[in-house]
Amino acid sequence: MAYPECPADDPGTQWINETLLPMEHEWGMNFYFWDRDSLAGMSVIYELLTAIENSEKILFVVSDMLFAEHRYHLEVVVHAAVDKGFGSIILCIVDEQLLNSNSLSRGFARLVLDVQRNYPGHYLSVQHEYFTDLLLQAIQHDLNRDMLC
C-alpha cells in the first residue's frame, strides 16, 4: 500500500518508487496505488476495500510508515485481505526489524505468522538477491494480472 502522506525519504516509499513501479510496466500488470489511483473525495477505507475486492494479490510493503502513520487503515485492510484468503497476500519486507518489535498490532502479527507458515513463498525480503524473481513467482500463482499495493 502506498499512501500520499508517506515522505519521499521513507525506505518503503523509496522502494515502491524505485523497484515496484518499474515492475508494473515491465511485467505488464495493473497495480493499484492509493496515492496514484484513488478518486478525489472518496474515503480511504472505501477505496482500499474496493481495490482489495477487485484484486487477486495484495502486497503489503512493510516499512516504518505503514505502522507509524496508518495503523487504523492497516487493521481494516488486514481483515479484508484475510477474508480474501492468505494465498492472495504477499509481504514485501523493507525493514525486517519491524517484525520483531512491539509495534505490530495483534491482527498484523497474526497475518505475518500465517503467511510465514502457510505461504513461505509469499514472505519476501526486498534485500534478497533474487527478490524480483521470487516476487514474480508469488504473483503469478493464480494471477489475473491485477494487484493491490
Side-chain angles (χ1 to χ4, degrees):
M1 275 173 266
Y3 289 90
E5 299 93 348
C6 292
D9 63 346
D10 172 61
T13 303
Q14 289 175 349
W15 180 81
I16 288 169
N17 291 332
E18 295 170 6
T19 306
L20 199 57
L21 279 172
M23 285 180 193
E24 176 182 29
H25 302 292
E26 181 182 327
W27 293 347
M29 295 180 187
N30 299 317
F31 290 175
Y32 173 89
F33 294 97
W34 186 87
D35 56 344
R36 180 189 73 184
D37 300 322
S38 64
L39 299 173
M42 296 298 293
S43 158
V44 173
I45 297 299
Y46 176 79
E47 288 277 331
L48 291 171
L49 293 176
T50 301
I52 287 172
E53 184 178 312
N54 295 326
S55 298
E56 293 213 14
K57 301 288 182 179
I58 301 131
L59 292 183
F60 283 94
V61 178
V62 180
S63 70
D64 280 327
M65 193 55 61
L66 181 63
F67 299 108
E69 300 292 326
H70 307 291
R71 185 171 295 279
Y72 172 71
H73 297 147
L74 178 61
E75 286 304 304
V76 172
V77 170
V78 164
H79 288 291
V82 169
D83 284 347
K84 191 166 187 80
F86 285 104
S88 66
I89 299 167
I90 301 170
L91 300 174
C92 297
I93 313 302
V94 175
D95 186 350
E96 190 80 37
Q97 291 178 336
L98 285 172
L99 299 177
N100 300 320
S101 71
N102 291 330
S103 64
L104 294 184
S105 67
R106 195 183 312 191
F108 195 78
R110 174 70 184 203
L111 174 115
V112 169
L113 287 174
D114 286 339
V115 169
Q116 283 178 315
R117 288 182 189 148
N118 301 312
Y119 296 92
H122 289 200
Y123 180 89
L124 306 169
S125 169
V126 300
Q127 309 303 323
H128 192 282
E129 181 180 7
Y130 299 108
F131 170 79
T132 55
D133 296 332
L134 296 170
L135 178 59
L136 187 56
Q137 277 182 340
I139 289 171
Q140 287 180 332
H141 187 260
D142 300 325
L143 181 67
N144 192 14
R145 303 188 82 66
D146 290 319
M147 182 180 313
L148 168 72
C149 301

